[in-house]
mmCIF file of all heavy atoms in Angstrom:
data_model
loop_
_atom_site.group_PDB
_atom_site.id
_atom_site.type_symbol
_atom_site.label_atom_id
_atom_site.label_comp_id
_atom_site.label_asym_id
_atom_site.label_seq_id
_atom_site.Cartn_x
_atom_site.Cartn_y
_atom_site.Cartn_z
ATOM 1 N N VAL A 1 3.107 -4.156 39.261
ATOM 2 C CA VAL A 1 1.884 -4.788 38.752
ATOM 3 C C VAL A 1 1.902 -6.293 38.984
ATOM 4 O O VAL A 1 2.921 -6.939 38.711
ATOM 5 C CB VAL A 1 1.681 -4.488 37.249
ATOM 6 C CG1 VAL A 1 0.428 -5.168 36.745
ATOM 7 C CG2 VAL A 1 1.626 -2.996 36.997
ATOM 8 N N ASP A 2 0.805 -6.808 39.496
ATOM 9 C CA ASP A 2 0.627 -8.264 39.590
ATOM 10 C C ASP A 2 -0.232 -8.684 38.394
ATOM 11 O O ASP A 2 -1.451 -8.588 38.425
ATOM 12 C CB ASP A 2 -0.055 -8.630 40.887
ATOM 13 C CG ASP A 2 -0.266 -10.138 41.053
ATOM 14 O OD1 ASP A 2 0.063 -10.865 40.094
ATOM 15 O OD2 ASP A 2 -0.757 -10.552 42.108
ATOM 16 N N PHE A 3 0.433 -9.109 37.314
ATOM 17 C CA PHE A 3 -0.291 -9.421 36.082
ATOM 18 C C PHE A 3 -1.162 -10.668 36.218
ATOM 19 O O PHE A 3 -2.031 -10.921 35.372
ATOM 20 C CB PHE A 3 0.683 -9.589 34.909
ATOM 21 C CG PHE A 3 1.315 -8.286 34.484
ATOM 22 C CD1 PHE A 3 2.655 -8.032 34.748
ATOM 23 C CD2 PHE A 3 0.574 -7.338 33.855
ATOM 24 C CE1 PHE A 3 3.231 -6.841 34.357
ATOM 25 C CE2 PHE A 3 1.111 -6.121 33.427
ATOM 26 C CZ PHE A 3 2.482 -5.876 33.715
ATOM 27 N N ALA A 4 -0.973 -11.471 37.261
ATOM 28 C CA ALA A 4 -1.813 -12.655 37.476
ATOM 29 C C ALA A 4 -3.077 -12.316 38.209
ATOM 30 O O ALA A 4 -4.009 -13.155 38.244
ATOM 31 C CB ALA A 4 -1.019 -13.716 38.256
ATOM 32 N N ASP A 5 -3.174 -11.116 38.803
ATOM 33 C CA ASP A 5 -4.348 -10.734 39.582
ATOM 34 C C ASP A 5 -5.481 -10.287 38.666
ATOM 35 O O ASP A 5 -5.396 -9.279 37.989
ATOM 36 C CB ASP A 5 -3.967 -9.604 40.530
ATOM 37 C CG ASP A 5 -5.040 -9.343 41.609
ATOM 38 O OD1 ASP A 5 -6.225 -9.541 41.286
ATOM 39 O OD2 ASP A 5 -4.703 -8.977 42.733
ATOM 40 N N THR A 6 -6.563 -11.083 38.650
ATOM 41 C CA THR A 6 -7.710 -10.762 37.795
ATOM 42 C C THR A 6 -8.908 -10.352 38.631
ATOM 43 O O THR A 6 -10.030 -10.501 38.238
ATOM 44 C CB THR A 6 -8.090 -11.999 36.938
ATOM 45 O OG1 THR A 6 -8.380 -13.081 37.803
ATOM 46 C CG2 THR A 6 -6.949 -12.353 35.998
ATOM 47 N N SER A 7 -8.636 -9.806 39.825
ATOM 48 C CA SER A 7 -9.757 -9.446 40.744
ATOM 49 C C SER A 7 -10.598 -8.323 40.202
ATOM 50 O O SER A 7 -11.787 -8.209 40.528
ATOM 51 C CB SER A 7 -9.188 -9.094 42.123
ATOM 52 O OG SER A 7 -8.276 -8.024 42.076
ATOM 53 N N VAL A 8 -10.021 -7.472 39.339
ATOM 54 C CA VAL A 8 -10.832 -6.407 38.717
ATOM 55 C C VAL A 8 -11.520 -6.952 37.453
ATOM 56 O O VAL A 8 -12.704 -6.756 37.255
ATOM 57 C CB VAL A 8 -9.955 -5.166 38.362
ATOM 58 C CG1 VAL A 8 -10.793 -4.092 37.655
ATOM 59 C CG2 VAL A 8 -9.311 -4.583 39.604
ATOM 60 N N THR A 9 -10.754 -7.632 36.620
ATOM 61 C CA THR A 9 -11.273 -8.214 35.370
ATOM 62 C C THR A 9 -10.230 -9.176 34.801
ATOM 63 O O THR A 9 -9.029 -9.047 35.043
ATOM 64 C CB THR A 9 -11.578 -7.126 34.331
ATOM 65 O OG1 THR A 9 -12.049 -7.751 33.133
ATOM 66 C CG2 THR A 9 -10.375 -6.306 33.998
ATOM 67 N N GLN A 10 -10.717 -10.141 34.013
ATOM 68 C CA GLN A 10 -9.815 -10.984 33.228
ATOM 69 C C GLN A 10 -9.240 -10.204 32.036
ATOM 70 O O GLN A 10 -8.216 -10.532 31.483
ATOM 71 C CB GLN A 10 -10.583 -12.193 32.668
ATOM 72 C CG GLN A 10 -11.099 -13.165 33.740
ATOM 73 C CD GLN A 10 -10.231 -14.429 33.820
ATOM 74 O OE1 GLN A 10 -9.507 -14.746 32.949
ATOM 75 N NE2 GLN A 10 -10.363 -15.110 34.961
ATOM 76 N N ASN A 11 -9.938 -9.118 31.674
ATOM 77 C CA ASN A 11 -9.592 -8.347 30.481
ATOM 78 C C ASN A 11 -8.661 -7.183 30.815
ATOM 79 O O ASN A 11 -8.908 -6.041 30.436
ATOM 80 C CB ASN A 11 -10.881 -7.855 29.821
ATOM 81 C CG ASN A 11 -10.635 -7.241 28.445
ATOM 82 O OD1 ASN A 11 -9.783 -7.701 27.689
ATOM 83 N ND2 ASN A 11 -11.376 -6.197 28.110
ATOM 84 N N THR A 12 -7.587 -7.458 31.569
ATOM 85 C CA THR A 12 -6.598 -6.417 31.843
ATOM 86 C C THR A 12 -5.855 -6.095 30.535
ATOM 87 O O THR A 12 -5.595 -6.979 29.741
ATOM 88 C CB THR A 12 -5.618 -6.852 32.908
ATOM 89 O OG1 THR A 12 -5.100 -8.162 32.564
ATOM 90 C CG2 THR A 12 -6.287 -6.921 34.270
ATOM 91 N N ARG A 13 -5.547 -4.808 30.341
ATOM 92 C CA ARG A 13 -5.031 -4.383 29.043
ATOM 93 C C ARG A 13 -3.880 -3.364 29.176
ATOM 94 O O ARG A 13 -3.732 -2.719 30.205
ATOM 95 C CB ARG A 13 -6.151 -3.674 28.245
ATOM 96 C CG ARG A 13 -7.273 -4.591 27.831
ATOM 97 C CD ARG A 13 -7.042 -5.198 26.496
ATOM 98 N NE ARG A 13 -8.132 -6.027 26.014
ATOM 99 C CZ ARG A 13 -8.198 -6.504 24.806
ATOM 100 N NH1 ARG A 13 -7.240 -6.248 23.935
ATOM 101 N NH2 ARG A 13 -9.192 -7.300 24.411
ATOM 102 N N VAL A 14 -3.132 -3.190 28.094
ATOM 103 C CA VAL A 14 -2.209 -2.083 27.972
ATOM 104 C C VAL A 14 -2.351 -1.517 26.530
ATOM 105 O O VAL A 14 -2.500 -2.260 25.552
ATOM 106 C CB VAL A 14 -0.757 -2.493 28.226
ATOM 107 C CG1 VAL A 14 -0.242 -3.530 27.221
ATOM 108 C CG2 VAL A 14 0.172 -1.269 28.237
ATOM 109 N N SER A 15 -2.358 -0.201 26.446
ATOM 110 C CA SER A 15 -2.246 0.459 25.106
ATOM 111 C C SER A 15 -0.912 1.170 25.034
ATOM 112 O O SER A 15 -0.467 1.725 26.054
ATOM 113 C CB SER A 15 -3.402 1.432 24.888
ATOM 114 O OG SER A 15 -3.273 2.615 25.657
ATOM 115 N N TYR A 16 -0.329 1.157 23.879
ATOM 116 C CA TYR A 16 0.918 1.877 23.647
ATOM 117 C C TYR A 16 1.085 2.176 22.203
ATOM 118 O O TYR A 16 0.550 1.474 21.308
ATOM 119 C CB TYR A 16 2.132 1.046 24.168
ATOM 120 C CG TYR A 16 2.179 -0.374 23.681
ATOM 121 C CD1 TYR A 16 2.750 -0.717 22.464
ATOM 122 C CD2 TYR A 16 1.663 -1.397 24.471
ATOM 123 C CE1 TYR A 16 2.775 -2.012 22.012
ATOM 124 C CE2 TYR A 16 1.684 -2.716 24.035
ATOM 125 C CZ TYR A 16 2.258 -3.016 22.803
ATOM 126 O OH TYR A 16 2.271 -4.335 22.368
ATOM 127 N N PRO A 17 1.804 3.264 21.870
ATOM 128 C CA PRO A 17 2.067 3.556 20.440
ATOM 129 C C PRO A 17 2.938 2.498 19.838
ATOM 130 O O PRO A 17 3.771 1.884 20.512
ATOM 131 C CB PRO A 17 2.755 4.920 20.490
ATOM 132 C CG PRO A 17 3.282 5.074 21.895
ATOM 133 C CD PRO A 17 2.414 4.254 22.763
ATOM 134 N N ILE A 18 2.743 2.228 18.540
ATOM 135 C CA ILE A 18 3.444 1.118 17.901
ATOM 136 C C ILE A 18 4.958 1.276 17.958
ATOM 137 O O ILE A 18 5.701 0.297 17.936
ATOM 138 C CB ILE A 18 2.928 0.873 16.466
ATOM 139 C CG1 ILE A 18 3.305 -0.514 15.974
ATOM 140 C CG2 ILE A 18 3.407 1.995 15.531
ATOM 141 C CD1 ILE A 18 2.596 -0.944 14.707
ATOM 142 N N TYR A 19 5.442 2.527 18.058
ATOM 143 C CA TYR A 19 6.916 2.697 18.109
ATOM 144 C C TYR A 19 7.517 2.223 19.432
ATOM 145 O O TYR A 19 8.732 2.239 19.578
ATOM 146 C CB TYR A 19 7.292 4.143 17.799
ATOM 147 C CG TYR A 19 6.642 5.231 18.655
ATOM 148 C CD1 TYR A 19 7.069 5.466 19.962
ATOM 149 C CD2 TYR A 19 5.658 6.041 18.116
ATOM 150 C CE1 TYR A 19 6.505 6.470 20.750
ATOM 151 C CE2 TYR A 19 5.070 7.050 18.902
ATOM 152 C CZ TYR A 19 5.496 7.239 20.210
ATOM 153 O OH TYR A 19 4.932 8.231 20.971
ATOM 154 N N HIS A 20 6.689 1.779 20.393
ATOM 155 C CA HIS A 20 7.244 1.097 21.558
ATOM 156 C C HIS A 20 7.761 -0.319 21.214
ATOM 157 O O HIS A 20 8.435 -0.939 22.032
ATOM 158 C CB HIS A 20 6.192 0.991 22.682
ATOM 159 C CG HIS A 20 6.036 2.267 23.477
ATOM 160 N ND1 HIS A 20 5.482 2.281 24.736
ATOM 161 C CD2 HIS A 20 6.383 3.547 23.190
ATOM 162 C CE1 HIS A 20 5.492 3.517 25.197
ATOM 163 N NE2 HIS A 20 6.002 4.303 24.271
ATOM 164 N N ILE A 21 7.397 -0.820 20.027
ATOM 165 C CA ILE A 21 7.891 -2.109 19.564
ATOM 166 C C ILE A 21 9.083 -1.868 18.645
ATOM 167 O O ILE A 21 9.047 -0.945 17.798
ATOM 168 C CB ILE A 21 6.765 -2.857 18.780
ATOM 169 C CG1 ILE A 21 5.554 -3.137 19.666
ATOM 170 C CG2 ILE A 21 7.312 -4.160 18.172
ATOM 171 C CD1 ILE A 21 5.730 -4.215 20.709
ATOM 172 N N ASP A 22 10.116 -2.637 18.790
ATOM 173 C CA ASP A 22 11.355 -2.410 18.002
ATOM 174 C C ASP A 22 11.232 -2.817 16.542
ATOM 175 O O ASP A 22 11.530 -2.056 15.641
ATOM 176 C CB ASP A 22 12.534 -3.175 18.635
ATOM 177 C CG ASP A 22 12.893 -2.618 20.000
ATOM 178 O OD1 ASP A 22 12.686 -1.410 20.218
ATOM 179 O OD2 ASP A 22 13.405 -3.400 20.844
ATOM 180 N N ASN A 23 10.773 -4.047 16.296
ATOM 181 C CA ASN A 23 10.854 -4.649 14.937
ATOM 182 C C ASN A 23 9.558 -4.374 14.198
ATOM 183 O O ASN A 23 8.755 -5.270 13.986
ATOM 184 C CB ASN A 23 11.142 -6.134 15.057
ATOM 185 C CG ASN A 23 11.605 -6.736 13.770
ATOM 186 O OD1 ASN A 23 12.163 -6.039 12.912
ATOM 187 N ND2 ASN A 23 11.366 -8.012 13.579
ATOM 188 N N ILE A 24 9.373 -3.140 13.717
ATOM 189 C CA ILE A 24 8.127 -2.776 13.040
ATOM 190 C C ILE A 24 8.405 -2.300 11.615
ATOM 191 O O ILE A 24 9.482 -1.829 11.288
ATOM 192 C CB ILE A 24 7.330 -1.680 13.795
ATOM 193 C CG1 ILE A 24 8.187 -0.401 13.988
ATOM 194 C CG2 ILE A 24 6.834 -2.209 15.106
ATOM 195 C CD1 ILE A 24 7.397 0.792 14.512
ATOM 196 N N GLN A 25 7.385 -2.460 10.789
ATOM 197 C CA GLN A 25 7.392 -1.980 9.412
ATOM 198 C C GLN A 25 6.969 -0.532 9.409
ATOM 199 O O GLN A 25 5.944 -0.170 9.965
ATOM 200 C CB GLN A 25 6.448 -2.825 8.553
ATOM 201 C CG GLN A 25 6.270 -2.384 7.140
ATOM 202 C CD GLN A 25 7.341 -2.904 6.198
ATOM 203 O OE1 GLN A 25 8.415 -3.268 6.653
ATOM 204 N NE2 GLN A 25 7.046 -2.949 4.926
ATOM 205 N N GLN A 26 7.787 0.361 8.787
ATOM 206 C CA GLN A 26 7.465 1.787 8.716
ATOM 207 C C GLN A 26 7.488 2.295 7.305
ATOM 208 O O GLN A 26 8.496 2.119 6.621
ATOM 209 C CB GLN A 26 8.448 2.575 9.574
ATOM 210 C CG GLN A 26 8.294 2.320 11.059
ATOM 211 C CD GLN A 26 9.286 3.126 11.890
ATOM 212 O OE1 GLN A 26 10.510 2.954 11.784
ATOM 213 N NE2 GLN A 26 8.758 4.004 12.704
ATOM 214 N N PRO A 27 6.370 2.892 6.824
ATOM 215 C CA PRO A 27 5.048 2.975 7.459
ATOM 216 C C PRO A 27 4.436 1.571 7.542
ATOM 217 O O PRO A 27 4.958 0.620 6.988
ATOM 218 C CB PRO A 27 4.263 3.910 6.550
ATOM 219 C CG PRO A 27 4.880 3.731 5.206
ATOM 220 C CD PRO A 27 6.360 3.532 5.474
ATOM 221 N N SER A 28 3.281 1.486 8.251
ATOM 222 C CA SER A 28 2.699 0.187 8.546
ATOM 223 C C SER A 28 1.928 -0.361 7.355
ATOM 224 O O SER A 28 0.682 -0.540 7.373
ATOM 225 C CB SER A 28 1.733 0.332 9.750
ATOM 226 O OG SER A 28 2.411 0.808 10.857
ATOM 227 N N ILE A 29 2.663 -0.619 6.278
ATOM 228 C CA ILE A 29 2.072 -1.087 5.029
ATOM 229 C C ILE A 29 2.894 -2.265 4.512
ATOM 230 O O ILE A 29 4.132 -2.189 4.487
ATOM 231 C CB ILE A 29 2.043 0.012 3.950
ATOM 232 C CG1 ILE A 29 1.285 1.240 4.449
ATOM 233 C CG2 ILE A 29 1.461 -0.495 2.652
ATOM 234 C CD1 ILE A 29 1.378 2.458 3.522
ATOM 235 N N GLY A 30 2.228 -3.342 4.095
ATOM 236 C CA GLY A 30 2.914 -4.476 3.496
ATOM 237 C C GLY A 30 2.380 -4.704 2.100
ATOM 238 O O GLY A 30 1.207 -4.458 1.822
ATOM 239 N N LYS A 31 3.232 -5.232 1.242
ATOM 240 C CA LYS A 31 2.801 -5.550 -0.116
ATOM 241 C C LYS A 31 2.853 -7.037 -0.354
ATOM 242 O O LYS A 31 3.429 -7.788 0.445
ATOM 243 C CB LYS A 31 3.712 -4.812 -1.137
ATOM 244 C CG LYS A 31 3.608 -3.297 -1.027
ATOM 245 C CD LYS A 31 4.485 -2.606 -2.026
ATOM 246 C CE LYS A 31 4.356 -1.065 -1.882
ATOM 247 N NZ LYS A 31 5.234 -0.328 -2.844
ATOM 248 N N ASN A 32 2.204 -7.488 -1.463
ATOM 249 C CA ASN A 32 2.363 -8.863 -1.874
ATOM 250 C C ASN A 32 1.951 -9.893 -0.810
ATOM 251 O O ASN A 32 2.745 -10.713 -0.400
ATOM 252 C CB ASN A 32 3.803 -9.117 -2.302
ATOM 253 C CG ASN A 32 3.977 -10.304 -3.179
ATOM 254 O OD1 ASN A 32 3.007 -10.753 -3.810
ATOM 255 N ND2 ASN A 32 5.164 -10.849 -3.248
ATOM 256 N N PRO A 33 0.691 -9.880 -0.347
ATOM 257 C CA PRO A 33 0.239 -10.897 0.605
ATOM 258 C C PRO A 33 0.299 -12.258 -0.048
ATOM 259 O O PRO A 33 -0.187 -12.460 -1.162
ATOM 260 C CB PRO A 33 -1.221 -10.522 0.894
ATOM 261 C CG PRO A 33 -1.375 -9.119 0.421
ATOM 262 C CD PRO A 33 -0.383 -8.921 -0.688
ATOM 263 N N LYS A 34 0.939 -13.215 0.630
ATOM 264 C CA LYS A 34 1.136 -14.531 0.047
ATOM 265 C C LYS A 34 0.551 -15.677 0.920
ATOM 266 O O LYS A 34 0.304 -16.749 0.441
ATOM 267 C CB LYS A 34 2.604 -14.807 -0.237
ATOM 268 C CG LYS A 34 3.134 -14.127 -1.478
ATOM 269 C CD LYS A 34 2.422 -14.659 -2.710
ATOM 270 C CE LYS A 34 2.796 -13.920 -3.976
ATOM 271 N NZ LYS A 34 1.902 -14.252 -5.091
ATOM 272 N N ASN A 35 0.408 -15.408 2.219
ATOM 273 C CA ASN A 35 -0.081 -16.439 3.108
ATOM 274 C C ASN A 35 -1.056 -15.861 4.132
ATOM 275 O O ASN A 35 -0.774 -14.817 4.734
ATOM 276 C CB ASN A 35 1.048 -17.170 3.845
ATOM 277 C CG ASN A 35 1.851 -18.038 2.909
ATOM 278 O OD1 ASN A 35 1.473 -19.152 2.611
ATOM 279 N ND2 ASN A 35 3.003 -17.516 2.456
ATOM 280 N N ILE A 36 -2.190 -16.545 4.312
ATOM 281 C CA ILE A 36 -3.141 -16.171 5.334
ATOM 282 C C ILE A 36 -3.297 -17.378 6.262
ATOM 283 O O ILE A 36 -3.428 -18.525 5.787
ATOM 284 C CB ILE A 36 -4.533 -15.848 4.719
ATOM 285 C CG1 ILE A 36 -4.439 -14.583 3.851
ATOM 286 C CG2 ILE A 36 -5.579 -15.630 5.813
ATOM 287 C CD1 ILE A 36 -5.713 -14.273 3.091
ATOM 288 N N PHE A 37 -3.265 -17.102 7.563
ATOM 289 C CA PHE A 37 -3.441 -18.140 8.565
ATOM 290 C C PHE A 37 -4.711 -17.910 9.377
ATOM 291 O O PHE A 37 -4.875 -16.822 9.955
ATOM 292 C CB PHE A 37 -2.223 -18.173 9.508
ATOM 293 C CG PHE A 37 -0.914 -18.482 8.787
ATOM 294 C CD1 PHE A 37 -0.085 -17.425 8.363
ATOM 295 C CD2 PHE A 37 -0.508 -19.779 8.533
ATOM 296 C CE1 PHE A 37 1.101 -17.702 7.686
ATOM 297 C CE2 PHE A 37 0.663 -20.061 7.867
ATOM 298 C CZ PHE A 37 1.502 -19.002 7.441
ATOM 299 N N PHE A 38 -5.600 -18.864 9.398
ATOM 300 C CA PHE A 38 -6.746 -18.857 10.286
ATOM 301 C C PHE A 38 -6.336 -19.675 11.527
ATOM 302 O O PHE A 38 -6.138 -20.895 11.415
ATOM 303 C CB PHE A 38 -7.978 -19.479 9.647
ATOM 304 C CG PHE A 38 -8.541 -18.764 8.465
ATOM 305 C CD1 PHE A 38 -9.380 -19.422 7.580
ATOM 306 C CD2 PHE A 38 -8.254 -17.437 8.229
ATOM 307 C CE1 PHE A 38 -9.923 -18.781 6.482
ATOM 308 C CE2 PHE A 38 -8.787 -16.780 7.135
ATOM 309 C CZ PHE A 38 -9.614 -17.448 6.248
ATOM 310 N N LEU A 39 -6.229 -19.018 12.663
ATOM 311 C CA LEU A 39 -5.794 -19.693 13.869
ATOM 312 C C LEU A 39 -7.007 -20.110 14.708
ATOM 313 O O LEU A 39 -7.923 -19.348 14.902
ATOM 314 C CB LEU A 39 -4.914 -18.759 14.721
ATOM 315 C CG LEU A 39 -3.700 -18.157 13.986
ATOM 316 C CD1 LEU A 39 -2.992 -17.142 14.909
ATOM 317 C CD2 LEU A 39 -2.731 -19.224 13.508
ATOM 318 N N THR A 40 -7.020 -21.341 15.157
ATOM 319 C CA THR A 40 -8.104 -21.851 15.979
ATOM 320 C C THR A 40 -7.514 -22.709 17.108
ATOM 321 O O THR A 40 -6.528 -23.439 16.885
ATOM 322 C CB THR A 40 -9.107 -22.668 15.191
ATOM 323 O OG1 THR A 40 -10.152 -23.122 16.044
ATOM 324 C CG2 THR A 40 -8.458 -23.849 14.476
ATOM 325 N N ALA A 41 -8.063 -22.569 18.304
ATOM 326 C CA ALA A 41 -7.640 -23.429 19.405
ATOM 327 C C ALA A 41 -8.725 -24.474 19.603
ATOM 328 O O ALA A 41 -9.663 -24.261 20.417
ATOM 329 C CB ALA A 41 -7.422 -22.601 20.680
ATOM 330 N N ASP A 42 -8.649 -25.525 18.830
ATOM 331 C CA ASP A 42 -9.670 -26.583 18.854
ATOM 332 C C ASP A 42 -9.482 -27.472 20.060
ATOM 333 O O ASP A 42 -8.621 -28.316 20.096
ATOM 334 C CB ASP A 42 -9.615 -27.390 17.579
ATOM 335 C CG ASP A 42 -10.610 -28.543 17.573
ATOM 336 O OD1 ASP A 42 -11.637 -28.422 18.292
ATOM 337 O OD2 ASP A 42 -10.386 -29.557 16.904
ATOM 338 N N ALA A 43 -10.298 -27.254 21.108
ATOM 339 C CA ALA A 43 -10.190 -28.006 22.338
ATOM 340 C C ALA A 43 -10.804 -29.417 22.204
ATOM 341 O O ALA A 43 -10.708 -30.230 23.140
ATOM 342 C CB ALA A 43 -10.855 -27.257 23.473
ATOM 343 N N PHE A 44 -11.406 -29.736 21.073
ATOM 344 C CA PHE A 44 -11.906 -31.090 20.831
ATOM 345 C C PHE A 44 -10.805 -32.011 20.295
ATOM 346 O O PHE A 44 -10.978 -33.219 20.234
ATOM 347 C CB PHE A 44 -13.070 -31.067 19.832
ATOM 348 C CG PHE A 44 -14.274 -30.354 20.347
ATOM 349 C CD1 PHE A 44 -14.489 -29.022 20.029
ATOM 350 C CD2 PHE A 44 -15.203 -31.000 21.144
ATOM 351 C CE1 PHE A 44 -15.616 -28.342 20.496
ATOM 352 C CE2 PHE A 44 -16.320 -30.330 21.610
ATOM 353 C CZ PHE A 44 -16.545 -29.010 21.302
#
């Protein structure tokens, strides 16, 4: 795969089951939310 090639679309994608990632919470549930981050790429 040439991941830099966007001749079909800029929106190239991959889907995979979460167990393809090593460091995951099982089951996918977290308790005690303490911090929320709103991320913005402010180009100004």
Side-chain angles (χ1 to χ4, degrees):
V1 179
D2 181 356
F3 289 109
D5 192 327
T6 59
S7 57
V8 178
T9 178
Q10 294 258 341
N11 190 36
T12 50
R13 294 270 183 171
V14 63
S15 73
Y16 49 85
I18 199 166
Y19 55 76
H20 279 201
I21 300 286
D22 293 332
N23 196 26
I24 58 171
Q25 175 84 338
Q26 292 181 296
S28 302
I29 302 172
K31 298 180 180 179
N32 200 21
K34 281 298 174 191
N35 289 280
I36 295 174
F37 299 94
F38 295 161
L39 306 176
T40 180
D42 176 26
F44 294 96

